[in-house]
Amino acid sequence: MRVYLCGVRGSTPSPGAEFLRYGGHTSCVALAREDAAQPALVLDAGTGLRRLTPLLGGAPFRGTILLTHLHWDHVQGLPFFAAGDRPDARVSLLLPEQEDGAGAEQALAKNMSPPSFPIEPSELRGEWTFGTVAARPLEAEGFTVEARRIPHKGGATVGYRVSDGHSVLTYMPDHCPTVCGPGPEGWGEYHPAALDLARDTDLLIHDAFLMPAEVPELAAFGHAAADYAIGLGQRAGARHVLLAHHKPDRTDDELDRLAARVAGTGATVAAEGAMIRL
Ligand SMILES: [Zn+2]
Ligand SMILES: [Zn+2]
């Protein structure tokens, strides 16, 4: 499969000269089967979703969008997704089952409706359907997808494990493992849901919002340290770890230093605009 990194920033976009090389768009990864001309499965709909429209070369989007959760940095690209907001688009959007029992469209409309935003999900043009991801694996756009609940903060959050029958990608951009305990290094517990999602995966794209020294003060915001992502990848047998969901004020120079520090582990730092072939 081909993996397009359309947005690798966390929390809020980071425009500005200090963020050009790793990018400022929030969470969005688009996947194409190797035999497909264009991406048809999208993980999260942060502002990076805007980058998918030019990748489709003028064609409408016909595919599935899976949301890990409903925080702003994972949904704000939806109404600005030109290839998905046109009469000939066909979009199936799935999100985690909500803790309050709200339906998918109703849950999405909470922050996408007046007065917070001019339009509601139902006003997106094209054929949009809204649903929730269940515990059992689902088939979408030629991929098999498993979702597992993982700890984060503020609302149901899942991680995804996606297979095209040849390669496996694991996606956990927002994950707070310290909720389960301090773990061996104080960066959080290597708990069963995270290990199962990442088991023998070809590529683990994981929350690296924090540096280890920031964990005591900032873990309560709901995120993981870069070094936890590497530890999880090692324990689960992941072949490659990609550090993502960068803190909004983490500059290119700081991310270069992170890349240099973790180079010996084989992990790399996600940069917007990259395409990875699995
Ligand atoms: Zn996030
Ligand atoms: Zn979040």
Side-chain angles (χ1 to χ4, degrees):
M1 68 176 96
R2 302 190 303 283
V3 181
Y4 298 86
L5 305 180
C6 296
V8 298
R9 191 65 58 173
S11 300
T12 192
S14 294
E18 315 93 294
F19 309 105
L20 289 179
R21 285 185 281 113
Y22 289 91
H25 272 311
T26 66
S27 300
C28 182
V29 171
L31 306 178
R33 282 183 57 96
E34 196 52 54
D35 54 12
Q38 292 164 339
L41 184 67
V42 177
L43 305 173
D44 279 334
T47 65
L49 183 57
R50 291 184 51 218
R51 292 187 65 114
L52 181 53
T53 296
L55 286 176
L56 298 176
F61 180 68
R62 295 204 173 102
T64 298
I65 300 175
L66 301 170
L67 303 181
T68 57
H69 62 310
L70 295 178
H71 289 168
W72 290 348
D73 53 322
H74 299 255
V75 299
Q76 282 187 331
L78 279 175
F80 302 100
F81 180 29
D85 180 24
R86 51 187 265 184
D88 49 357
R90 177 183 52 73
V91 187
S92 168
L93 187 144
L94 301 174
L95 51 90
E97 283 183 358
Q98 297 300 292
E99 287 158 352
D100 64 0
E105 188 173 347
Q106 182 192 359
L108 200 59
K110 268 193 194 172
N111 68 29
M112 186 179 161
S113 61
S116 302
F117 194 76
I119 64 162
E120 299 187 12
S122 62
E123 293 174 80
L124 290 164
R125 289 165 291 183
E127 185 191 325
W128 283 72
T129 57
F130 304 91
T132 53
V133 284
R136 63 184 179 283
L138 65 97
E139 301 289 328
E141 317 301 336
F143 295 91
T144 305
V145 182
E146 288 173 59
R148 290 282 297 267
R149 282 287 295 268
I150 56 172
H152 181 36
K153 179 179 180 146
T157 301
V158 298
Y160 288 109
R161 181 180 170 92
V162 182
S163 171
D164 64 352
H166 171 74
S167 309
V168 176
L169 168 99
T170 301
Y171 182 68
M172 282 190 266
D174 292 52
H175 180 203
C176 187
T178 47
V179 166
C180 302
E185 307 98 342
W187 308 327
E189 205 63 64
Y190 299 98
H191 58 88
L195 288 164
D196 288 350
L197 284 166
R199 184 90 55 214
D200 299 324
T201 192
D202 293 290
L203 180 64
L204 168 62
I205 301 178
H206 194 280
D207 191 341
F209 194 80
L210 301 175
M211 297 300 112
E214 297 170 325
V215 169
E217 190 189 348
L218 301 180
F221 286 99
H223 294 288
D227 301 70
Y228 173 89
I230 295 167
L232 176 63
Q234 286 167 345
R235 283 167 174 79
R239 271 174 273 290
H240 189 79
V241 176
L242 195 58
L243 305 174
H245 202 275
H246 309 311
K247 200 158 165 273
D249 57 0
R250 195 86 66 206
T251 63
D252 288 340
D253 290 347
E254 289 174 327
L255 289 171
D256 279 348
R257 284 196 285 278
L258 171 64
R261 181 169 72 77
V262 304
T265 68
T268 52
V269 177
E272 181 185 317
M275 191 273 279
I276 299 159
R277 215 171 221 115
L278 295 183

